[in-house]
Amino acid sequence: MNNNLDYQFGMYAPATDSIIINTGENSVLIIRCKECNSSVTFDDPNDVVYLYRLAKETPLLYAELAMKENGLQDYVDAMNEFN
């Protein structure tokens, strides 16, 4: 996948549990959070809230991490270190 996409706008769509990103030139990228979140191993199942908060508050960062190998896992691990 091209990690040099120009993310112009992104939003979380709760009805589909997806992040929709306008990448310019009339194209969009859709990231399905449930599928991405299922690849993360949680110490506590309630830690999934870290990812839902990230998706809702900073959808572009969620998308960036979701497209990196272990990006979301590293994020959850870091949140567990801080809390």
Side-chain angles (χ1 to χ4, degrees):
M1 180 164 282
N2 181 359
N3 287 329
N4 296 320
L5 292 173
D6 180 21
Y7 299 156
Q8 296 183 351
F9 175 78
M11 64 178 243
Y12 176 72
T16 59
D17 189 25
S18 300
I19 294 183
I20 302 167
I21 299 170
N22 176 344
T23 60
E25 300 296 321
N26 295 322
S27 63
V28 294
L29 172 65
I30 298 175
I31 296 176
R32 306 214 185 284
C33 297
K34 184 176 183 177
E35 291 174 21
C36 292
N37 294 354
S38 70
S39 69
V40 176
T41 303
F42 300 101
D43 292 340
D44 177 338
N46 292 326
D47 289 347
V48 73
V49 74
Y50 296 136
L51 296 179
Y52 281 108
R53 187 178 323 135
L54 179 67
K56 290 177 183 178
E57 295 176 3
T58 52
L60 293 177
L61 178 57
Y62 182 101
E64 191 175 323
L65 293 173
M67 292 185 3
K68 289 183 180 178
E69 187 174 349
N70 296 321
L72 293 175
Q73 183 70 60
D74 291 344
Y75 178 81
V76 170
D77 292 344
M79 293 303 291
N80 280 325
E81 288 293 318
F82 290 120
N83 291 319

